[in-house]
Amino acid sequence: MSKKPKPSQAKKSKSKNNNLWDHRDLGQELDLFSFHEIAPGAPFWHPKGMIIFRELEKFARKLNDADGYEEISTPILAKKEVFEKSGHWEHYRDNMFWFKNPRDEKEVLVVKPMNCPESTYVYYSKIRSYRDFPIRLAEIGRLHRNELSGTLGGLFRVRQITMDDAHIYVRPDQAEEEIVRVLKTIANFYKMLEFDAEYFLATKPEGALGTKKEWDIAEKALAGALAGSKIKYSVAKGEGAFYGPKIEVHIKDSQGRDWQMGTAQLDLVMLPDKFNLSYIDEDGKKQKPFVIHRAIFGSFERFIGIILEHFNGALPFWLSPVQVKILSINDEVNSYAENILKKLKENNIRAEIDLRNESIGKKIREAEMQKIPYLLIIGEKEAEAKKIAVRERGKGDLGAHTIEEFLSLAKK
Ligand SMILES: [Zn+2]
């Protein structure tokens, strides 16, 4: 059993000589986001940064749709009674934003710090039968946590958090199979981004809620799901949540730092008991479901910060705000170049064009600073042959291609 590495939140030097990159600098250089005094711990997303955010959102929804999730949205403001019920009001109040309604002193409202408690209201909007399970409710929820201002750091520690959250309501006998599905999605996601993921099974801590029998079922389900998925893992003894064991997924970035990313937590008691959840079994009796809390990449903000640093701003093609830039050598080829731009846009490629009267060397240098995956250079030779000269980020000149050849290259 190996010891679990501590997730690093260490601030890195801004020096680029030792290959350490800071997402705050990259955010500025690539015009992605900014932070302002008037909103501590909350990024202002610029148009290009918002493209990354939206692509991630689209991708999260695509995974959810393919996996049989249904999307919900629960209120950002809810009465404190919900959070009294969940225990957050008692244990977590200093980390929450809350206020008395100025128009009704008796009403105390909380800005939700997590989606879980309110998800149960959707579950409870009708009577649930054993046949309905699993019920997979996804929510890309906007959360707020009152982090101390001294601890805020770029996108890594924010007060406003967007989570790729989901709560899966299962019968206890379905927990293992469902966690196998979650693990498969998580593994594919990190493989796609070429991250090596490491898995930890965090077991029952001291003073945990729930019975021994429930913990045995839950820990067995998680261990069984890991083994069934042929995933190597380490046990993090006693590091589970107080309401159930969890699987943590860690990755190492290009700077050697360890990050805790996705989780699958099997909740035996927090939602099921505190919110008195039930379903009707085959014999018409009330039973208690388990709830799986799962996230694939956790917070959008932190994930974007991590991948920016990991790739030093050179994001994969599908996440790049500008995927292709067309650079013209002189005015003679402008109309041909604009025609190429039109074709790219018709093929849903995010493209820009640089028709300025500048040297091609300067145009290439500037576009390379923006870490754009492909540059298409057009001079009279290319225009005449109805071709484009392709330069790929990190690879250099790929030679002359027709637009059709380039489109099939880019689509790969
Ligand atoms: Zn949750």
Side-chain angles (χ1 to χ4, degrees):
M1 282 174 209
S2 75
K3 191 103 184 74
K4 193 169 61 152
K6 281 254 178 317
S8 160
Q9 292 282 358
K11 270 200 196 131
K12 293 288 174 180
S13 116
K14 286 194 176 185
S15 154
K16 298 206 166 55
N17 309 330
N18 52 0
N19 272 1
L20 297 178
W21 301 297
D22 190 311
H23 69 276
R24 289 167 290 193
D25 297 338
L26 290 163
Q28 197 172 18
E29 285 160 23
L30 305 177
D31 192 17
L32 305 176
F33 56 81
S34 52
F35 284 90
H36 301 276
E37 292 257 308
I38 52 144
F44 287 69
W45 291 99
H46 299 191
K48 284 181 178 161
M50 204 55 209
I51 289 174
I52 304 175
F53 203 102
R54 281 179 42 167
E55 285 301 321
L56 268 180
E57 220 168 3
K58 265 192 240 168
F59 191 71
R61 289 199 162 103
K62 204 169 119 190
L63 291 177
N64 288 342
D65 290 347
D67 275 347
Y69 287 77
E70 298 171 288
E71 185 165 338
I72 61 168
S73 177
T74 63
I76 286 180
L77 281 183
K79 286 189 187 178
K80 86 168 196 291
E81 284 74 8
V82 187
F83 297 96
E84 280 177 337
K85 219 170 169 181
S86 66
H88 289 100
W89 185 256
E90 191 187 349
H91 297 293
Y92 197 70
R93 198 182 326 172
D94 291 345
N95 295 306
M96 309 197 303
F97 290 103
W98 50 274
F99 57 94
K100 278 191 187 140
N101 183 347
R103 291 197 156 152
D104 178 0
E105 287 281 294
K106 289 189 295 297
E107 187 175 83
V108 175
L109 291 161
V110 172
V111 186
K112 68 173 171 180
M114 44 190 68
N115 299 308
C116 334
E118 288 183 61
S119 135
T120 65
Y121 288 79
V122 178
Y123 176 84
Y124 250 149
S125 60
K126 53 183 145 187
I127 294 168
R128 303 293 185 171
S129 138
Y130 69 97
R131 283 188 235 100
D132 301 335
F133 289 88
I135 297 166
R136 307 180 182 98
L137 302 179
E139 177 163 19
I140 297 179
R142 183 143 289 172
L143 312 175
H144 291 79
R145 297 181 186 168
N146 196 356
E147 305 278 0
L148 289 171
S149 58
T151 66
L152 299 173
L155 295 172
F156 289 163
R157 194 173 270 244
V158 286
R159 284 181 173 170
Q160 178 182 286
I161 304 158
T162 316
M163 286 271 292
D164 73 319
D165 211 356
H167 296 94
I168 309 167
Y169 298 80
V170 291
R171 299 191 310 260
D173 65 285
Q174 295 172 315
E176 182 172 327
E177 195 190 327
E178 190 59 27
I179 287 167
V180 169
R181 286 173 70 104
V182 170
L183 288 176
K184 198 171 148 202
T185 307
I186 291 178
N188 285 341
F189 178 76
Y190 287 104
K191 204 182 284 165
M192 189 185 75
L193 287 167
E194 295 174 10
F195 278 114
D196 286 326
E198 246 192 301
Y199 295 79
F200 295 89
L201 170 58
T203 59
K204 189 176 183 204
E206 301 261 339
L209 299 177
T211 65
K212 183 174 182 309
K213 193 178 152 215
E214 286 170 327
W215 274 88
D216 285 347
I217 296 175
E219 287 180 359
K220 233 183 97 206
L222 292 188
L226 285 161
S229 308
K230 297 197 171 59
I231 288 174
K232 274 196 216 140
Y233 66 96
S234 315
V235 174
K237 206 165 181 289
E239 296 198 26
F242 69 93
Y243 53 81
K246 57 182 175 180
I247 293 168
E248 286 180 5
V249 187
H250 290 233
I251 56 162
K252 269 214 168 42
D253 69 13
S254 61
Q255 306 188 20
R257 291 173 302 183
D258 178 89
W259 296 98
Q260 194 214 303
M261 305 300 294
T263 59
Q265 312 190 0
L266 190 48
D267 179 0
L268 321 168
V269 288
M270 182 173 75
L271 297 186
D273 283 351
K274 287 184 192 281
F275 288 85
N276 207 9
L277 300 182
S278 67
Y279 67 92
I280 307 298
D281 72 8
E282 290 101 317
D283 305 321
K285 287 202 191 97
K286 261 193 182 182
Q287 297 293 347
K288 181 173 88 167
F290 283 173
V291 182
I292 299 164
H293 306 243
R294 82 100 179 94
I296 295 167
F297 48 82
S299 125
F300 279 71
E301 289 79 5
R302 200 181 65 130
F303 185 71
I304 293 173
I306 291 170
I307 54 171
L308 280 175
E309 295 194 5
H310 178 71
F311 293 109
N312 187 20
L315 296 175
F317 186 78
W318 68 282
L319 280 174
S320 291
V322 180
Q323 296 170 313
V324 176
K325 191 149 187 171
I326 301 166
L327 313 176
S328 64
I329 291 181
N330 59 41
D331 289 347
E332 310 297 307
V333 299
N334 284 2
S335 74
Y336 177 66
E338 300 215 52
N339 219 351
I340 296 289
L341 177 69
K342 202 171 139 239
K343 283 209 175 116
L344 292 173
K345 290 195 167 168
E346 280 166 5
N347 281 275
N348 298 317
I349 289 177
R350 293 187 291 270
E352 283 183 353
I353 192 163
D354 184 351
L355 298 177
R356 289 174 306 159
N357 197 5
E358 295 283 357
S359 78
I360 192 68
K362 185 175 179 202
K363 287 185 182 183
I364 291 174
R365 268 195 310 281
E366 283 181 11
E368 279 176 345
M369 298 276 284
Q370 291 298 304
K371 326 242 178 192
I372 297 165
Y374 290 103
L375 305 182
L376 306 183
I377 296 150
I378 297 175
E380 277 166 63
K381 197 173 78 189
E382 286 78 17
E384 231 158 75
K386 299 280 172 234
K387 290 199 168 179
I388 45 188
V390 180
R391 281 178 80 90
E392 187 177 351
R393 187 182 61 198
K395 289 192 180 157
D397 191 2
L398 302 184
H401 287 63
T402 64
I403 183 69
E404 286 74 23
E405 285 166 348
F406 174 71
L407 286 172
S408 69
L409 178 78
K411 276 178 184 153
K412 259 195 288 182

